[in-house]
Amino acid sequence: MGSGPGPGPEEPIVGRDEELARLYRAVDPASAGPVVMLAGDPGTGKSALLDRAVRRAEAGGARVLRAEGSESESGLAFSALHQLLRPVPDAVGRLPERQRVAIQDAFGAGPSAPGRPGAPGLMLTGVAVLSLLSALGDRRPVLVVLDDAQWFDRASLDALSFVARRLEGEPVTMLIAVRGGGHLPGFGRHVPVLTLGPLDSAAANRLLDLQPDSPVGRTRTRILDQAGGNPLALVELARAATEHDAAAGAPSAGPLPLTDHLERVFAARLNGFPAATTRALLLLAAMDSADTAVLAPAGLPSAEDAVWLPAEQAVLVKRTGRGVRFRHPLVRSAVYHAASPGARRAAHLALAEMLREEPDRRAWHLAAACPGPDAAVSEELERTAARARRRGGHAAAAMALQRAAELAPRRADSARLLVEAASAAVFTGDLAWVEELTASARTRTDDASLLASATVRAGRLAILTVRHTTVFSRLIGAAGELAVSQPAAALDLLACAAVVRFYSGEDSQRRRIRDVLRRIPEDAAPAGPRTWVTAVSDPFEGRAQLVSLLPRLLTEAEARPEQLTTAGIMAWLLDETPRAVRAFDEAFDHWELRGSLPEGLGGAVAWALVERGRWEQAREACARTTAVGRMSGLDHAVACAATVDATVLAYQGDTTAARARADEALALTDPLESRSVSVHARRALGAAATADGAYEAAYGQLRTVFTADGAPVHYHASYPALAELAAAAVRCGRREDAAPVVERSARTLGDNASPRLRALISRARALLADPGDAEPHFRAALADPVLEHWPFERAQTLLDLAEWLRRRRRIAEARGPLTEALETFRRLGARPWTERARAEARAAGLDVADAAPDALTGLSPQQRQIIGLAARGLTNREIGEKLFLSPRTVSSHLYRSFPKLGVTARSQLRDLVEGTLTAGGPPGVGHPGR
């Protein structure tokens, strides 16, 4: 039972010809686009247009899944998704186990238990919904209709927006109706919006002409003037004027009800209804749910019951085979608000009694019936929040906790619940809401530790926004105030401030962090948080001491994934990348991220994988961060992932895609607010230009990561660019400009430089030195065995050394480093560097055959990812889960890729990717659609 009106086939839709044609095109399989959003004010006809599109789609053989938002269920996690998928339980049952369990858990019907660490997260739920819709599309086209989506619960919106971004190429169309200007969390600029404005004068008059008692004269003029082109207002004002004039015996002289007061028009029709009809309408209005299977048998009259007849005759409801529906959301609102407070409470209590088997919905009805504080209902809502959190419904949990706080009789309990609500709201990405909740908590308690906890909750979200200067000032101020009275909370805030310092790269922030850190007693908290603050805000000063603490921190974090990840990030910052990757691997073995936000400095995982040569895994991590960041509106997280992705694409030779991703990162951030993003993006653009052989452009990009006088723009991200800066400088005649930059960095780092940075500086010095002086620097750059853990950087140095040796006519000596470099570039898939190494090898007299990975050149970046995963033996469903695609999309990419690669079976892919496929070898047996 919902609120979506729907004209019968005989009821015309006036003045919406263009909009209706656009929706018809959307549901036409031959010309369908994946997603269309219909936006407009109440009464503009969104639901009526959707109904027409549904009928057109059904006539064409499409399967229609529909969900209608309602205010009363907006706090129930996954309620809209449950409504959408309830008609297809068999399709859910056919999903792979992990995906099936994810959906069942989301609906509260899965095996998840409180505290179960392996509970599926929101990302897997999104993949499961995508797979389900794609599978349904194997049989016939699917139309997903989301009406009144502004009232969908946030967890459903997150899952559906995730799906909407991945429908290209699927036989699935999504139509969305939303109030207002078309803004819907998670649905960004990629969704085309069809806006329903007011009807023009001709259409408005035509609509009035179609009314049973078409108004004339002054009454018509007043209706046209006051309705403002709103179709519902035109119809209802005409009906109200007719009824009023009939009762009065003459046209009314006063103003007609205004459009924003149309509820009064509907409420006036309630007069004289039988008590049973009034009660049934109020129950329907208080419920506003599509879950008739639960409530109809429990006491709500069925659609066939004569109790609905007066309301139907008054054009308030519409009876269909599926139940009873309000003709418009304003009808529901009018019915509900026309009732007395006591009647509304009685309705909610009656519904709560009917819903004893639905504890979450029951709790909300009990809350709606509360005239004041109620400890028992507050506790019910707290339990509802716990269940929502376990299913990944963080917005629903926060809403339940916020309402529980309002009903808690004791101020201390209310404050505690508000802090917990803020903790849950952090994972929605809604900073304003988190700040509102923490501010409310401050008005209810003087408990310093609780208030500090609230401040920390807000800080952990704030660091993921792009407002780094403002956020840092807030965090450092709060940390300073708490340094003595609440040292543990102050350290937590400093930890957040250090992350902001990393993102912004502003040197003055390092000094302020140090000042507050000195004021916190040494024994006030474990060593881990203090070490984190130091390592993140300045990883080079005192690096040796920080590195010496890593083994103990990693040992203490064993089997504790969050601590392992934290220690791994510190290891990465300190250029202890092998330790970092081991920590990340162990963390992921124990724990799958359950929150829907990337953690602060989460990009460290992807960067560490890039440095270790695990490029495709790095891109998978970027895909996850990008999906989550977009769902949560966190542009900075998306930008961080884009810079890593751009770097890998440049290394692989897809320079057009690399530049697009780097430009995206730069567009999402302010370079003065986010120096880390800016520097990483410029390094990616420099790598892309180098891959293209455009060394002047490469030097221009790389030179911007240092200031005019040679200082690093970012204290951590700039230094790894030194060797590439030197390489580009040599090739475009900028040696004299680059040399002082390298030497200044070497002096600044001094003994605090990591082995990796010392090797990069040595390579830069070798490239910039006079030819006769270069060899010692090359040898120094390759001397430490630990450098093998940075395979791409080592291979670049080996290639530079080989080129130098060949130019010195030491050809035999050049062949060893050349062979090793070529093998590494081939294994990594670094095509531009493979080509350069191959050309150098031929010049050195080596017999070098064309490398098989070059066959991947004609594929898109996504196709290469899919081919790489398929070569590792993953099925289409497994690939889809990793890359957040449907199995159909994966299969489609494989079918398009196989002819380009000259293969006919999956069994050939491993040899192809590893570079060992023999030309003209016998085809294997397999199929890309597995």
Side-chain angles (χ1 to χ4, degrees), residues 262-326:
L262 280 175
E263 288 182 10
R264 298 178 186 175
V265 172
F266 296 117
R269 297 185 208 163
L270 299 173
N271 295 331
F273 279 177
T277 301
T278 301
R279 180 179 182 276
L281 284 172
L282 183 54
L283 285 173
L284 182 61
M287 175 183 64
D288 193 24
S289 165
D291 203 356
T292 56
V294 173
L295 288 177
L300 195 70
S302 67
E304 293 77 21
D305 198 305
V307 75
W308 299 109
L309 184 58
E312 186 177 39
Q313 291 173 339
V315 202
L316 295 177
V317 299
K318 180 177 182 179
R319 292 193 284 179
T320 70
R322 292 176 294 176
V324 182
R325 300 167 61 190
F326 283 117

Side-chain angles (χ1 to χ4, degrees), residues 667-740:
L668 289 171
T669 55
D670 180 339
L672 295 180
E673 288 277 304
S674 301
R675 289 175 179 84
S676 64
V677 169
S678 177
V679 167
H680 283 134
R682 295 297 174 188
R683 283 172 50 189
L685 290 169
T690 298
D692 286 339
Y695 297 111
E696 184 76 41
Y699 185 78
Q701 293 289 350
L702 294 167
R703 186 62 180 83
T704 63
V705 308
F706 297 91
T707 64
D709 61 357
V713 168
H714 188 273
Y715 65 95
H716 184 270
S718 291
Y719 289 127
L722 286 168
E724 285 302 288
L725 176 77
V730 169
R731 288 173 171 82
C732 69
R734 300 296 189 91
R735 188 189 306 260
E736 292 183 358
D737 181 59

Side-chain angles (χ1 to χ4, degrees), residues 409 515 614 625 808 898:
D515 290 343
R614 290 160 56 173
T625 300
R808 305 292 288 177
F898 274 27

Side-chain angles (χ1 to χ4, degrees), residues 351-542:
L351 290 169
E353 183 64 26
M354 296 180 199
L355 290 165
R356 285 195 169 275
E357 302 303 317
E358 300 279 338
D360 294 335
R361 297 177 60 209
R362 180 175 183 273
W364 277 106
H365 282 296
L366 289 173
C370 283
D374 189 307
V377 176
S378 178
E379 291 170 4
E380 280 288 332
L381 286 169
E382 194 171 357
R383 287 190 284 272
T384 287
R387 288 189 290 267
R389 261 181 157 164
R390 289 198 297 274
R391 301 197 301 271
H394 299 287
M399 291 173 68
L401 289 164
Q402 186 174 15
R403 180 65 174 135
E406 293 169 359
L407 295 177
R410 297 176 64 248
R411 287 175 62 84
D413 289 334
S414 178
R416 173 185 60 80
L417 290 165
L418 284 167
V419 172
E420 291 183 17
S423 299
V426 162
F427 292 100
T428 69
D430 189 339
L431 179 59
W433 189 16
V434 174
E435 291 176 336
E436 174 194 332
L437 291 166
T438 54
S440 296
R442 292 188 189 101
T443 66
R444 286 170 165 80
T445 184
D446 296 325
D447 186 326
S449 61
L450 192 62
L451 292 176
S453 177
T455 304
V456 171
R457 300 297 192 280
R460 286 178 180 165
L461 174 56
I463 63 177
L464 298 172
T465 71
V466 295
R467 303 183 307 175
H468 296 317
T469 300
T470 301
V471 168
F472 180 85
S473 178
R474 183 185 306 162
L475 290 170
I476 201 72
E481 291 174 4
L482 298 171
V484 176
S485 62
Q486 297 288 327
L491 265 178
D492 281 342
L493 290 167
L494 273 189
C496 295
V499 174
V500 179
R501 143 74 172 160
F502 179 87
Y503 286 144
S504 73
E506 172 57 52
D507 279 339
S508 63
Q509 294 177 353
R510 174 177 59 89
R511 292 190 291 273
R512 295 186 66 186
I513 288 172
R514 280 183 173 179
D515 290 343
V516 175
L517 192 59
R518 289 193 194 99
R519 294 166 50 198
I520 298 176
E522 289 281 350
D523 58 352
R530 184 178 291 271
T531 306
W532 167 271
V533 171
T534 303
V536 174
S537 58
D538 190 348
F540 295 116
E541 184 171 333

